[in-house]
Amino acid sequence: MKEIKIAILDFDGTLADTAAVIIRTTQATIRELKLPSRTDDECAAMIGLRLIEIPPVLFPGIELDGDLYASTYRRLFHIFNKEGAVTLYPGVKEKLEELKGRGIVLTIASSRSRASLTEYVENLGLSHLISYILGADDVSAGKPDPEAVQKTLEKFGFSPDEAIVVGDTVFDINMGRNACTATCGVTYGNGSRESLDHADCLIDNFSQLPL
């Protein structure tokens, strides 16, 4: 593997703790659309998928328009996403500053919309650190499809063996593997350690990222 020159980072569950507001919004969406109840753990397991892709996974066998689910969720999310509801995980900003200072390109590839990502990056004080953002609306295929990684590498002219994908779910790790990059799973987010054991490395704190 060549020296890593670019890190492609997940956002939810990797850089920022968004689980509580996501679960609360998902449960409110379920109630408003009068869908069968789901546990908080079942809702959390959907983190990493694009909103339009959630209905057939969370409600198999039920006909539900993905766009309706997504629009309802987004409207309710704005209600619950109050100031301070989302915070960075310990060590994230310090490690990003260190990596940026060493010349490593830092990007985000997320299943969240680009507008939402951009707002969070600005509000959390990361704008000067993140060079490129790809959201759900920037790709035709969501994770674990490698499209987001491929578009990022093409933009900066890097090869897969110069990149690492960092994330907290199996969707992130499989996206990286499908793109032939190195992968690192974070164990403090929304995925279980067991679901990440096929990553090249696992870390319990973002500061441990081996770059």
Side-chain angles (χ1 to χ4, degrees), residues 93-149:
K93 192 169 186 180
E94 293 81 1
K95 185 65 175 182
L96 292 179
E97 288 174 339
E98 174 202 328
L99 296 175
K100 183 78 169 182
R102 292 199 279 112
I104 294 176
V105 176
L106 304 173
T107 75
I108 293 175
S110 172
S111 298
R112 179 179 295 280
S113 73
R114 179 157 41 89
S116 177
L117 282 172
T118 300
E119 182 178 359
Y120 273 133
V121 166
E122 291 175 354
N123 291 344
L124 294 170
L126 302 179
S127 297
H128 64 297
L129 300 172
I130 303 299
S131 299
Y132 188 52
I133 293 174
L134 278 180
D137 41 340
D138 295 312
V139 295
S140 58
K143 301 175 183 180
D145 190 276
E147 181 184 354
V149 175

Coordinates of all heavy atoms in Angstrom, one line a residue, residues 93-149:
K93 N -11.6 16.8 16.1 CA -11.0 18.1 15.5 C -9.5 18.1 15.6 O -8.8 18.6 14.7 CB -11.7 19.3 16.2 CG -11.4 20.6 15.5 CD -12.2 21.7 16.0 CE -12.0 23.0 15.2 NZ -12.9 24.1 15.7
E94 N -9.0 17.7 16.7 CA -7.5 17.7 17.0 C -6.8 16.8 15.9 O -5.8 17.2 15.4 CB -7.2 17.3 18.4 CG -7.7 18.2 19.5 CD -9.2 18.0 19.8 OE1 -9.8 17.2 19.2 OE2 -9.6 18.8 20.7
K95 N -7.4 15.6 15.7 CA -6.8 14.7 14.8 C -6.9 15.2 13.3 O -5.9 15.2 12.6 CB -7.4 13.3 14.8 CG -6.8 12.3 14.0 CD -5.3 12.0 14.4 CE -4.7 10.9 13.7 NZ -3.3 10.5 14.1
L96 N -8.0 15.8 13.0 CA -8.2 16.4 11.6 C -7.2 17.5 11.4 O -6.6 17.7 10.3 CB -9.6 16.9 11.4 CG -10.7 15.9 11.4 CD1 -12.1 16.5 11.2 CD2 -10.5 14.8 10.3
E97 N -7.0 18.4 12.4 CA -6.0 19.5 12.3 C -4.6 18.9 12.1 O -3.8 19.5 11.3 CB -6.1 20.3 13.6 CG -7.4 21.2 13.6 CD -7.5 22.0 14.9 OE1 -6.9 21.6 15.9 OE2 -8.3 22.9 14.9
E98 N -4.3 17.9 12.8 CA -3.0 17.2 12.7 C -2.7 16.7 11.3 O -1.7 16.9 10.6 CB -2.8 16.1 13.7 CG -1.5 15.3 13.5 CD -1.6 13.9 14.1 OE1 -2.3 13.7 15.1 OE2 -0.9 13.0 13.6
L99 N -3.7 16.0 10.8 CA -3.7 15.4 9.4 C -3.6 16.5 8.4 O -2.8 16.4 7.4 CB -4.9 14.5 9.2 CG -5.0 13.2 10.1 CD1 -6.3 12.5 9.8 CD2 -3.8 12.3 9.9
K100 N -4.4 17.5 8.5 CA -4.4 18.6 7.6 C -3.0 19.3 7.6 O -2.5 19.6 6.5 CB -5.4 19.6 7.9 CG -5.6 20.8 7.0 CD -6.3 20.4 5.7 CE -6.7 21.7 4.9 NZ -7.5 21.3 3.7
G101 N -2.4 19.4 8.7 CA -1.1 20.0 8.8 C 0.0 19.2 8.2 O 1.0 19.8 7.8
R102 N -0.2 17.9 8.1 CA 0.7 17.0 7.4 C 0.5 16.9 5.9 O 1.1 16.1 5.3 CB 0.8 15.7 8.1 CG 1.3 15.8 9.5 CD 1.8 14.4 10.0 NE 0.7 13.6 10.6 CZ 0.3 12.5 10.0 NH1 0.8 12.0 8.9 NH2 -0.7 11.8 10.5
G103 N -0.5 17.6 5.4 CA -0.8 17.6 4.0 C -1.7 16.5 3.5 O -1.9 16.3 2.3
I104 N -2.4 15.8 4.4 CA -3.4 14.8 4.0 C -4.7 15.5 3.6 O -5.2 16.3 4.4 CB -3.6 13.7 5.1 CG1 -2.3 12.9 5.3 CG2 -4.7 12.8 4.8 CD1 -2.3 12.0 6.4
V105 N -5.2 15.1 2.5 CA -6.5 15.7 2.0 C -7.6 15.0 2.8 O -7.7 13.8 2.9 CB -6.7 15.5 0.5 CG1 -8.0 16.0 0.1 CG2 -5.6 16.2 -0.3
L106 N -8.5 15.9 3.4 CA -9.6 15.4 4.2 C -10.9 15.6 3.5 O -11.2 16.8 3.1 CB -9.6 16.0 5.5 CG -8.3 15.9 6.3 CD1 -8.4 16.8 7.6 CD2 -8.1 14.4 6.7
T107 N -11.7 14.6 3.2 CA -13.0 14.7 2.6 C -14.1 14.0 3.3 O -13.8 13.1 4.2 CB -13.0 14.2 1.1 OG1 -12.9 12.8 1.1 CG2 -11.7 14.7 0.4
I108 N -15.3 14.3 3.0 CA -16.5 13.6 3.6 C -17.3 12.9 2.5 O -17.6 13.6 1.5 CB -17.3 14.5 4.4 CG1 -16.6 15.0 5.7 CG2 -18.6 13.8 4.9 CD1 -17.3 16.0 6.5
A109 N -17.7 11.7 2.7 CA -18.7 11.0 1.9 C -19.7 10.4 2.8 O -19.5 9.5 3.6 CB -18.0 9.9 1.1
S110 N -20.9 10.9 2.6 CA -22.0 10.6 3.6 C -23.3 10.3 2.9 O -23.5 10.8 1.7 CB -22.2 11.8 4.5 OG -23.3 11.6 5.3
S111 N -24.2 9.6 3.6 CA -25.5 9.4 3.1 C -26.5 10.5 3.4 O -27.7 10.5 3.1 CB -26.1 8.0 3.6 OG -25.3 7.0 3.2
R112 N -26.0 11.5 4.1 CA -26.8 12.7 4.4 C -26.7 13.6 3.2 O -25.8 13.6 2.4 CB -26.1 13.4 5.7 CG -26.8 14.6 6.1 CD -26.1 15.2 7.4 NE -26.2 14.3 8.5 CZ -27.3 14.2 9.2 NH1 -28.4 15.0 9.0 NH2 -27.4 13.4 10.2
S113 N -27.7 14.5 3.1 CA -27.7 15.5 2.0 C -26.5 16.4 2.1 O -26.0 16.7 3.2 CB -29.0 16.3 2.0 OG -29.0 17.2 3.1
R114 N -26.1 16.9 1.0 CA -24.9 17.8 1.0 C -25.2 19.1 1.7 O -24.3 19.6 2.4 CB -24.4 18.1 -0.5 CG -23.2 19.1 -0.5 CD -22.5 18.9 -1.8 NE -23.3 18.8 -3.0 CZ -23.8 19.8 -3.7 NH1 -23.5 21.0 -3.3 NH2 -24.5 19.5 -4.8
A115 N -26.4 19.6 1.6 CA -26.8 20.9 2.3 C -26.7 20.7 3.8 O -26.1 21.5 4.5 CB -28.2 21.3 1.9
S116 N -27.2 19.5 4.3 CA -27.1 19.3 5.7 C -25.6 19.1 6.2 O -25.2 19.6 7.2 CB -27.9 18.0 6.0 OG -27.8 17.7 7.4
L117 N -24.8 18.4 5.4 CA -23.4 18.2 5.7 C -22.7 19.5 5.8 O -21.9 19.8 6.7 CB -22.8 17.3 4.6 CG -23.0 15.8 4.7 CD1 -22.4 15.1 3.4 CD2 -22.4 15.2 5.9
T118 N -22.9 20.3 4.8 CA -22.2 21.6 4.7 C -22.6 22.5 5.9 O -21.7 23.1 6.5 CB -22.6 22.4 3.4 OG1 -22.3 21.6 2.3 CG2 -21.9 23.7 3.3
E119 N -23.8 22.5 6.3 CA -24.3 23.2 7.5 C -23.6 22.7 8.8 O -23.1 23.5 9.6 CB -25.8 23.1 7.7 CG -26.3 23.9 8.8 CD -27.8 23.9 8.9 OE1 -28.5 23.2 8.1 OE2 -28.4 24.5 9.9
Y120 N -23.5 21.4 8.9 CA -22.8 20.8 10.1 C -21.4 21.1 10.1 O -20.8 21.5 11.1 CB -23.1 19.3 10.1 CG -24.3 18.9 10.8 CD1 -25.1 17.9 10.2 CD2 -24.7 19.4 12.1 CE1 -26.3 17.5 10.9 CE2 -25.8 19.0 12.7 CZ -26.7 18.0 12.1 OH -27.8 17.6 12.7
V121 N -20.7 21.0 8.9 CA -19.3 21.2 8.8 C -19.0 22.7 9.3 O -18.0 22.9 10.0 CB -18.8 20.9 7.4 CG1 -17.4 21.5 7.2 CG2 -18.7 19.4 7.2
E122 N -19.8 23.6 8.8 CA -19.6 25.0 9.2 C -19.9 25.2 10.7 O -19.1 25.9 11.4 CB -20.6 25.9 8.3 CG -20.2 25.9 6.9 CD -21.2 26.7 6.0 OE1 -22.2 27.1 6.6 OE2 -20.9 26.9 4.8
N123 N -21.0 24.7 11.2 CA -21.4 24.9 12.6 C -20.4 24.3 13.5 O -20.3 24.8 14.7 CB -22.8 24.4 12.8 CG -23.8 25.3 12.1 OD1 -23.6 26.4 11.7 ND2 -25.1 24.7 12.0
L124 N -19.8 23.2 13.1 CA -18.9 22.5 14.0 C -17.4 22.9 13.9 O -16.5 22.3 14.5 CB -19.0 20.9 13.8 CG -20.4 20.3 14.2 CD1 -20.4 18.9 13.7 CD2 -20.6 20.4 15.7
G125 N -17.2 23.9 13.0 CA -15.9 24.5 12.9 C -14.9 23.7 12.1 O -13.7 23.7 12.4
L126 N -15.4 23.0 11.1 CA -14.5 22.1 10.3 C -14.3 22.6 8.9 O -13.6 21.9 8.1 CB -15.1 20.7 10.3 CG -15.4 19.9 11.6 CD1 -16.0 18.6 11.3 CD2 -14.1 19.8 12.4
S127 N -14.8 23.7 8.5 CA -14.8 24.2 7.2 C -13.4 24.3 6.6 O -13.1 24.0 5.5 CB -15.5 25.5 7.0 OG -16.9 25.4 7.3
H128 N -12.4 24.7 7.5 CA -11.1 25.0 7.1 C -10.3 23.7 7.0 O -9.1 23.7 6.5 CB -10.4 25.9 8.1 CG -10.2 25.3 9.4 ND1 -11.3 25.0 10.3 CD2 -9.1 25.0 10.2 CE1 -10.8 24.6 11.4 NE2 -9.5 24.5 11.4
L129 N -10.9 22.6 7.4 CA -10.2 21.3 7.4 C -10.7 20.3 6.3 O -9.9 19.5 5.8 CB -10.4 20.6 8.7 CG -9.9 21.3 10.0 CD1 -10.3 20.6 11.3 CD2 -8.4 21.5 9.9
I130 N -11.9 20.4 5.9 CA -12.5 19.5 4.9 C -12.4 20.1 3.5 O -13.0 21.2 3.3 CB -14.0 19.2 5.3 CG1 -14.1 18.6 6.7 CG2 -14.6 18.3 4.3 CD1 -13.3 17.3 6.9
S131 N -11.8 19.4 2.6 CA -11.6 19.9 1.3 C -12.7 19.6 0.3 O -12.8 20.3 -0.8 CB -10.2 19.4 0.7 OG -9.2 19.8 1.5
Y132 N -13.5 18.6 0.6 CA -14.5 18.2 -0.4 C -15.6 17.4 0.4 O -15.3 16.7 1.3 CB -13.8 17.3 -1.4 CG -14.7 16.8 -2.6 CD1 -15.3 17.8 -3.4 CD2 -14.7 15.5 -2.9 CE1 -16.1 17.4 -4.5 CE2 -15.5 15.1 -4.1 CZ -16.1 16.0 -4.8 OH -16.8 15.6 -5.9
I133 N -16.8 17.7 0.0 CA -18.0 17.0 0.6 C -18.9 16.4 -0.5 O -19.2 17.0 -1.5 CB -18.8 18.0 1.4 CG1 -18.1 18.5 2.6 CG2 -20.2 17.4 1.8 CD1 -18.8 19.6 3.3
L134 N -19.2 15.1 -0.3 CA -20.2 14.4 -1.2 C -21.3 13.9 -0.3 O -21.1 13.2 0.7 CB -19.5 13.2 -1.9 CG -18.7 13.5 -3.2 CD1 -18.1 12.3 -3.8 CD2 -19.6 14.2 -4.2
G135 N -22.5 14.3 -0.7 CA -23.7 13.9 0.0 C -24.5 12.9 -0.8 O -24.1 12.5 -1.9
A136 N -25.6 12.5 -0.2 CA -26.5 11.5 -0.9 C -27.0 12.0 -2.3 O -27.2 11.2 -3.2 CB -27.7 11.2 0.0
D137 N -27.2 13.3 -2.4 CA -27.7 13.9 -3.6 C -26.6 14.1 -4.7 O -26.9 14.6 -5.8 CB -28.4 15.2 -3.3 CG -27.8 16.1 -2.3 OD1 -26.9 15.6 -1.5 OD2 -28.1 17.3 -2.3
D138 N -25.4 13.8 -4.4 CA -24.3 13.9 -5.3 C -23.9 12.6 -6.0 O -23.0 12.6 -6.9 CB -23.0 14.4 -4.6 CG -23.2 15.8 -4.0 OD1 -23.7 16.7 -4.7 OD2 -22.9 16.0 -2.8
V139 N -24.6 11.5 -5.7 CA -24.2 10.2 -6.3 C -25.5 9.6 -6.7 O -26.6 9.8 -6.2 CB -23.5 9.3 -5.3 CG1 -22.1 9.9 -5.0 CG2 -24.3 9.1 -4.0
S140 N -25.4 8.7 -7.7 CA -26.5 8.0 -8.2 C -26.8 6.7 -7.4 O -27.9 6.1 -7.4 CB -26.4 7.6 -9.7 OG -25.2 6.9 -9.9
A141 N -25.7 6.2 -6.8 CA -25.8 5.0 -6.0 C -25.2 5.2 -4.6 O -24.1 5.8 -4.5 CB -25.1 3.8 -6.7
G142 N -25.9 4.8 -3.6 CA -25.4 5.0 -2.2 C -24.5 4.0 -1.7 O -24.2 3.0 -2.4
K143 N -23.9 4.1 -0.5 CA -23.1 3.1 0.1 C -23.9 1.8 0.1 O -25.1 1.8 0.4 CB -22.7 3.5 1.5 CG -22.0 4.9 1.6 CD -21.7 5.3 3.0 CE -21.1 6.7 3.1 NZ -20.8 7.1 4.5
P144 N -23.2 0.7 -0.1 CA -21.8 0.4 -0.2 C -21.2 0.6 -1.6 O -20.1 0.1 -1.9 CB -21.6 -1.0 0.3 CG -22.9 -1.7 -0.1 CD -24.0 -0.6 0.0
D145 N -22.0 1.1 -2.6 CA -21.5 1.3 -3.9 C -20.2 2.2 -3.8 O -20.2 3.2 -3.0 CB -22.5 1.9 -4.8 CG -22.2 2.0 -6.2 OD1 -21.5 2.9 -6.6 OD2 -22.6 1.1 -7.0
P146 N -19.2 2.0 -4.6 CA -18.0 2.8 -4.5 C -18.0 4.1 -5.2 O -17.0 4.8 -5.2 CB -16.9 1.9 -5.2 CG -17.7 1.1 -6.2 CD -19.1 0.8 -5.5
E147 N -19.2 4.5 -5.8 CA -19.2 5.7 -6.6 C -18.7 7.0 -5.8 O -17.9 7.7 -6.4 CB -20.7 6.0 -7.0 CG -20.8 7.3 -7.9 CD -22.2 7.6 -8.2 OE1 -23.1 6.8 -7.9 OE2 -22.4 8.7 -8.8
A148 N -19.0 7.2 -4.6 CA -18.6 8.4 -3.9 C -17.1 8.4 -3.7 O -16.4 9.4 -3.9 CB -19.2 8.4 -2.5
V149 N -16.5 7.2 -3.5 CA -15.0 7.1 -3.4 C -14.4 7.4 -4.7 O -13.4 8.2 -4.8 CB -14.6 5.8 -2.8 CG1 -13.1 5.6 -2.8 CG2 -15.1 5.5 -1.4

